[in-house]
């Protein structure tokens, strides 16, 4: 799938209306160590508002560095969470453990949201 990145609710909705991309990403949700100074932080409230009206899946990106934040973006309605710095490193055991924790937190929050 090819998606598109957006940095505000209005950009996301414009791309959603255009219908040219698959999933729509929105971020950074929180400050990101990966792309410092890239775009203004939008926060999970803006994410929730965008997810509530978007017709396509929304991917949350930016600053999802711990399980509680993965759960927060799922709570906001994101279909997916994209992470980089949280799973970046040379210690593969630590990367695997963090990946598992992020996935479990996201999945649990999605399940609770749909219950």
């Amino acid at each position: 799938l090819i998606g598109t990145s957006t940095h505000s609710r209005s950009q996301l909705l414009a791309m959603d209306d255009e219908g040219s991309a698959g999933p729509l990403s929105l971020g950074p949700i929180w400050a990101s160590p990966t792309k410092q100074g890239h775009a203004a932080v939008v926060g999970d409230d803006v994410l929730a508002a965008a997810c509530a009206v978007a017709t396509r899946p929304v991917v949350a990106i930016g600053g999802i560095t711990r399980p509680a934040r993965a759960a927060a973006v799922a709570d906001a309605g994101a279909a997916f969470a994209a992470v980089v710095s949280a799973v970046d490193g040379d210690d593969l055991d630590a990367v695997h453990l963090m990946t598992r924790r992020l996935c479990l937190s996201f999945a649990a929050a999605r399940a609770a949201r749909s219950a």
Side-chain angles (χ1 to χ4, degrees), residues 51-64:
C51 289
V53 295
T55 62
R56 288 183 278 156
V58 176
V59 180
I61 188 166
I64 305 167

Side-chain angles (χ1 to χ4, degrees), residues 6-7 25-36 38-44 47 59-66 69-70 73 80-86:
T6 64
H7 305 291
S25 70
L26 178 64
I29 307 304
W30 295 282
S32 172
T34 306
K35 291 188 175 183
Q36 296 177 359
H38 177 65
V41 169
V42 298
D44 54 349
L47 174 64
V59 180
I61 188 166
I64 305 167
T65 55
R66 54 186 186 266
R69 287 187 171 178
V73 297
F80 306 98
V83 299
V84 177
S85 61

Side-chain angles (χ1 to χ4, degrees), residues 16 22 27 31-32 63 70 73 76 80 86-87 90 92 97 105-106 115:
D16 193 32
S32 172
V73 297
F80 306 98
V87 295
D90 294 330
L92 294 182
L97 181 61
S105 292
F106 187 86

